[in-house]
Amino acid sequence: MLMKCYFLRLIEYLSLVFMVFIVPTSTFTKFTNIKGNIKGDISYINNDITLKRSIIAMRCDDTMTMSKLTSKLVNDIDIDIDDIDIDIDIDNPNPSPTVDLLGPINTPTVWSYFNNLTTTDTANLGQGFPDTPPPKFLTDSLKETIDSGYAIHQYTNPNGHPPLVKELMKRYSLHLHQPLTPSNVAITVGASQALYLSLRTIVTPGSEVIIFEPFFDLYVNQVKLCGGKPRFVPLKLEGGRWNVDEDELAAALSPKTSCLILNSPHNPTGKVFTYSEQLAISLAILPYPSVKVLSDEVYKYIIHSPPPLPPSAPSTTVPGHTHFASLPGMYPRTITISSCGKTFSATGWQVGWAVGPSSLIGPVQQVLPQVQFCACSLAQDALARALPQADGPYEDEDGEVWDDYYVYLRERYRSKRDLLAKALEEAGFDVPDYGGGGGGGGFGCVWCEWNLAR
């Protein structure tokens, strides 16, 4: 039997050599009635004015003999693809175990409907990027970076460009009330990569990930790609406010839970999770020590309606925003995720980061260079130059001077909120009273509920 296998393999190679190097192109006219199993990839090489030479890697079974094959070759045979047996799953022509994890991905989403309704006469309120240019100090910083020398145009540290890491360490030490080192920061290609790599290092196949509903659709697909199972906890719309149902959350948590994703300000509702709500979430996960939290905070600087803080809450560095990792006992089990895109109207820069204890950030740093060696060196360096400038007085396009860029940004979103709310009310919509204590922010300027009575 072993000799037979070697003999059949020899026939394969001799056949291929014969077809490619001995038989002239003009003799390839037609394959017909060849018995046996001919499988493989067919590649057409356009190196002849009128003909294409085909190279076929064939696997012969014991019903195909050399004499049958050569008799076909010498009879001026052409290749007819219909006569070749190639195993292809018509329903799934490109099978991929990774893509299969996503399940059906061509079903319409709410964004599909938004895009289909968008015309030149309408405004798309569902778009995922700002419609204003970046501040001048940011673009000036990029110009300075580009002209700063040879080195910045090359790779930087895979864990993050050192000047930017240093800047983020300084800021998040204040945000989270924790002393930080480079082992606590990982710079990624946008917040999406920070989220995916964090999930990849936390989620085990079959474990469950808590996601508040409605949600940013990327969360679900990333959880699936990591082999996890999304477990949804619906937010309840009550009196124009989205509220966390603590009973629903408690029922969803179990020993199977590996992670909870918290997004505040929330996409797509604009909800700001209050200090009290986040504290309740932290208490709910305490009985499950293996549960980690991914706190997605990319919209924190555009909270247009900061909710009031209770007297017991610690001071915050961002008006209206509570960093989940700053809550009692939550730093060791939380990865805080953010980016520069929404804050500085520079979503194309794709600079994001993950901040947390070295026990959680270390695995992310290990995986990072295996996925992409580093985020863009130029963008990282420019952002490191720009961040300190954002903290100082900012002059807007109209010449008005603000205490800092973030104060200006909040006021700009507040004025947009008021403009939109006024138009919606005139059109018959009810708009929440953001001064009532719930707060609001994020990219979604306002949540509107249709008043059926009107």
Side-chain angles (χ1 to χ4, degrees):
M1 179 62 70
L2 183 61
M3 291 299 294
K4 181 180 179 181
C5 291
Y6 282 136
F7 180 72
L8 292 175
R9 181 61 60 189
L10 178 61
I11 290 176
E12 288 184 52
Y13 290 133
L14 289 175
S15 303
L16 182 60
V17 170
F18 188 80
M19 292 168 64
V20 176
F21 299 105
I22 299 176
V23 182
T25 307
S26 59
T27 65
F28 282 73
T29 55
K30 188 171 181 65
F31 258 130
T32 56
N33 301 321
I34 292 183
K35 301 296 184 182
N37 187 14
I38 305 174
K39 297 182 180 180
D41 295 328
I42 303 174
S43 108
Y44 292 100
I45 305 175
N46 294 302
N47 60 356
D48 191 293
I49 296 177
T50 58
L51 299 171
K52 295 177 181 178
R53 171 167 292 181
S54 299
I55 303 173
I56 306 177
M58 297 187 298
R59 183 169 72 250
C60 305
D61 64 18
D62 56 356
T63 62
M64 176 178 283
T65 65
M66 187 64 172
S67 61
K68 289 181 180 179
L69 177 62
T70 54
S71 67
K72 295 301 180 184
L73 288 172
V74 297
N75 287 334
D76 287 336
I77 47 181
D78 190 17
I79 296 175
D80 188 344
I81 295 177
D82 294 334
D83 293 329
I84 300 176
D85 178 16
I86 302 175
D87 286 343
I88 298 178
D89 184 349
I90 301 300
D91 295 327
N92 188 14
N94 297 303
S96 167
T98 302
V99 175
D100 287 345
L101 291 171
L102 296 174
I105 58 176
N106 293 321
T107 54
T109 67
V110 64
W111 311 116
S112 305
Y113 291 111
F114 283 168
N115 290 333
N116 290 337
L117 291 171
T118 301
T119 68
T120 55
D121 298 323
T122 60
N124 184 0
L125 301 181
Q127 71 181 25
F129 55 90
D131 60 356
T132 53
K136 187 174 182 300
F137 66 80
L138 188 72
T139 54
D140 286 346
S141 294
L142 180 59
K143 294 173 186 176
E144 293 172 9
T145 290
I146 291 173
D147 295 333
S148 63
Y150 160 83
I152 195 57
H153 294 271
Q154 314 310 319
Y155 294 127
T156 188
N157 189 309
N159 296 337
H161 189 51
L164 181 56
V165 171
K166 183 178 180 180
E167 190 65 35
L168 292 174
M169 284 166 45
K170 181 176 67 176
R171 291 168 177 274
Y172 278 86
S173 292
L174 299 175
H175 293 331
L176 308 182
H177 312 295
Q178 295 286 336
L180 301 179
T181 70
S183 66
N184 304 121
V185 180
I187 308 297
T188 57
V189 181
S192 296
Q193 189 186 59
L195 177 71
Y196 179 69
L197 295 182
S198 298
L199 287 168
R200 197 72 188 175
T201 56
I202 292 173
V203 175
T204 55
S207 67
E208 296 181 348
V209 177
I210 303 293
I211 301 175
F212 290 103
E213 189 178 26
F215 49 82
F216 178 35
D217 55 354
L218 188 72
Y219 295 157
V220 170
N221 286 335
Q222 288 199 356
V223 168
K224 290 180 179 179
L225 285 173
C226 295
K229 296 181 179 180
R231 183 69 185 267
F232 303 110
V233 174
L235 297 172
K236 299 292 182 66
L237 184 61
E238 301 168 326
R241 288 182 53 190
W242 294 93
N243 296 317
V244 176
D245 188 319
E246 296 181 24
D247 292 334
E248 292 264 12
L249 176 59
L253 288 163
S254 77
K256 295 181 180 179
T257 308
S258 60
C259 183
L260 179 147
I261 299 177
L262 177 66
N263 177 209
S264 181
H266 183 257
N267 180 358
T269 67
K271 169 185 172 56
V272 175
F273 285 74
T274 65
Y275 173 82
S276 298
E277 287 175 319
Q278 294 198 37
L279 188 62
I281 293 170
S282 72
L283 294 174
I285 67 173
L286 274 180
Y288 304 95
S290 63
V291 175
K292 306 300 186 292
V293 176
L294 301 186
S295 184
D296 181 352
E297 304 179 5
V298 296
Y299 300 109
K300 70 180 182 183
Y301 283 113
I302 46 180
I303 296 178
H304 52 72
S305 308
L309 287 173
S312 58
S315 60
T316 178
T317 52
V318 181
H321 179 70
T322 297
H323 293 87
F324 187 82
S326 69
L327 297 178
M330 290 300 105
Y331 176 75
R333 56 203 295 180
T334 303
I335 295 180
T336 302
I337 294 170
S338 194
S339 73
C340 72
K342 306 301 192 297
T343 303
F344 295 106
S345 298
T347 55
W349 282 36
Q350 284 292 278
V351 177
W353 49 86
V355 179
S358 56
S359 59
L360 297 179
I361 299 300
V364 174
Q365 292 179 337
Q366 287 181 293
V367 174
L368 257 173
Q370 314 307 321
V371 177
Q372 182 159 338
F373 189 78
C374 65
C376 177
S377 303
L378 292 169
Q380 290 190 71
D381 189 80
L383 184 59
R385 295 169 184 263
L387 283 174
Q389 299 181 60
D391 296 329
Y394 176 72
E395 183 177 347
D396 66 18
E397 57 275 10
D398 298 323
E400 186 173 354
V401 178
W402 303 83
D403 291 342
D404 60 48
Y405 172 74
Y406 304 110
V407 173
Y408 155 79
L409 191 65
R410 286 192 297 273
E411 183 55 37
R412 183 160 64 91
Y413 272 87
R414 190 174 293 116
S415 64
K416 288 185 175 185
R417 175 205 67 190
D418 293 343
L419 179 65
L420 180 60
K422 181 175 183 296
L424 289 168
E425 287 175 335
E426 291 175 353
F429 285 87
D430 282 341
V431 178
D433 176 14
Y434 287 109
F443 229 42
C445 293
V446 66
W447 172 260
C448 307
E449 182 180 10
W450 182 250
N451 186 336
L452 295 178
R454 296 183 184 179

